Amino acid sequence: MRGSDSLTKEECDRLIGAVGDSGLAIRDRMLLEVFAWTGLRVSELVALRIDQVIDGGRGLPTLHLDRTSTKRKKGGKLPIAEKLQGSLESYVTWLRSWSGAVWLFPGYEGKHLCSRAVQLRIKAIATAAGIRKKITPHSLRKFFVQRLIDQKLDVRSVMELSRHSSLASLHHYLVVDEEAARAAVEAIR
């Protein structure tokens, strides 16, 4: 889905802020936060089980992805930021207060939320936030990759954290900052 637009930090904040605080808005906010801070693919996100992020009521520092839910069936692991761990703890407490689901994002009849439902929710939230770009779950994946690059993380680590198999597949996510590139060239002596 390379046709989706990237988000700026301000747009991502607006997107998350447009969710609200009641009912399924709590779920929607968690969806957006997990997307934005892990770079998961939509199929990976909807297939998350509670036990992959919470153990004994505490957020886990590492997310272990099942081989069955990842592209190319490789599995993988991702660090989970402390702030996201805390949000996940609160979310799971809320979720368990009304659902006995095993899925982090439950759908109907004991199944997990479907990818299409997530796509539609994100589109609706982007509209509510007044963002006029084409925003999809993939936009949040691009946001994650760009934030890694902005943090000056080496390309190999970006590939690993975003679970890209090659630099060729990663390059679709990269946005060149012309001013930064010029400054880097000028700094070479």
Side-chain angles (χ1 to χ4, degrees):
M1 189 172 291
R2 291 190 180 103
S4 62
D5 291 326
S6 296
L7 287 166
T8 65
K9 172 78 169 91
E10 294 75 25
E11 289 168 332
C12 188
D13 290 343
R14 274 185 25 222
L15 190 67
I16 293 170
V19 172
D21 286 321
S22 61
L24 291 180
I26 296 168
R27 180 209 60 195
D28 292 346
R29 175 177 285 111
M30 194 77 261
L31 274 168
L32 295 173
E33 288 181 9
V34 172
F35 265 134
W37 308 121
T38 64
L40 291 174
R41 294 174 175 93
V42 67
S43 59
E44 296 166 341
L45 180 116
V46 297
L48 284 176
R49 295 181 322 276
I50 292 172
D51 65 4
Q52 288 177 271
V53 296
I54 298 290
D55 184 31
R58 303 284 305 161
L60 295 172
T62 304
L63 169 62
H64 294 273
L65 297 169
D66 290 337
R67 301 183 90 185
T68 56
S69 67
T70 60
K71 193 172 179 179
R72 286 183 280 298
K73 308 300 180 208
K74 288 185 174 181
K77 59 183 183 175
L78 286 168
I80 300 176
E82 286 183 23
K83 181 179 179 189
L84 183 55
Q85 289 174 42
S87 294
L88 284 164
E89 290 169 10
S90 297
Y91 169 73
V92 169
T93 299
W94 169 81
L95 180 62
R96 286 183 171 156
S97 72
W98 64 270
S99 168
V102 297
W103 304 107
L104 189 60
F105 301 108
Y108 293 107
E109 298 177 358
K111 297 178 182 174
H112 59 68
L113 198 60
C114 71
S115 297
R116 184 66 181 145
V118 172
Q119 292 166 346
L120 293 172
R121 286 303 304 140
I122 288 176
K123 182 177 181 180
I125 295 165
T127 300
I131 300 172
R132 297 189 183 270
K133 295 177 174 180
K134 181 180 178 185
I135 303 303
T136 68
H138 205 75
S139 300
L140 290 154
R141 183 164 163 73
K142 288 179 177 181
F143 173 80
F144 173 75
V145 170
Q146 192 59 49
R147 296 296 70 79
L148 294 175
I149 292 165
D150 291 349
Q151 294 299 315
K152 311 288 190 247
L153 195 61
D154 63 276
V155 174
R156 180 69 186 125
S157 295
V158 173
M159 283 177 56
E160 187 72 24
L161 289 171
S162 62
R163 292 149 339 276
H164 282 98
S165 60
S166 70
L167 187 56
S169 62
L170 180 64
H171 93 276
H172 294 288
Y173 293 73
L174 307 178
V175 177
V176 176
D177 181 340
E178 297 293 334
E179 286 183 37
R182 179 166 298 286
V185 169
E186 294 295 334
I188 297 172
R189 300 208 191 268

